[in-house]
Amino acid sequence: MKGIITADEARTIAAIHKNLHGSFALQKRNNHAGHLVASARVEDADGAILPGLIVEVECKTAITLNRCLFLFTLFTQRHGAKLRAYQLEITPPEKRTHNEPGNIIYGTHEHWGDEAIALPGFGCDDYSRGLAYFCQQINLAAEQLELP
């Protein structure tokens, strides 16, 4: 499938030890009301930038209780295109979040490249736990990123 990397390639990218490079703070997203986003380049254990790797966190402000969206994503870039290597998407359990034929998912799930896997047990009150899980999955030195 064009624009998507394989699950095996995603796991290889995730296995590399990573630190965030530069500041990483949630800010209002200009083109989506109620969304906050933080983005940073990634470096290795020696402080060298890992070309093309970007970590991004996006939060949608809930209008009503239990209507959240937290996206934690590791992207790789190729030829100017941003490709998802790994993503954790936290939503309410009753929300349909993935529509692949033969793999319909409700609620929280994760993507390893082109593979989507249901991940029950997370909810709208699990932002901090979700961030910690994301950091563990992609081998990223833990960061504190508080919701404003």
Side-chain angles (χ1 to χ4, degrees), residues 22-92:
S23 65
F24 194 68
L26 286 166
Q27 299 176 351
K28 290 181 182 178
R29 186 170 172 182
N30 293 335
N31 58 348
H32 286 80
H35 283 241
L36 302 171
V37 66
S39 182
R41 294 219 171 263
V42 180
E43 57 187 40
D44 67 13
D46 296 323
I49 297 289
L50 294 168
L53 292 185
I54 298 169
V55 168
E56 188 173 289
V57 172
E58 185 171 348
C59 304
K60 179 181 178 187
T61 306
I63 296 171
T64 61
L65 193 60
N66 290 328
R67 296 303 305 165
C68 65
L69 173 63
F70 302 129
L71 294 174
F72 304 92
T73 312
L74 173 65
F75 289 105
T76 185
Q77 290 182 311
R78 304 233 173 101
H79 309 292
K82 206 160 101 170
L83 309 174
R84 179 186 61 217
Y86 176 81
Q87 183 177 67
L88 171 62
E89 180 176 338
I90 297 177
T91 67

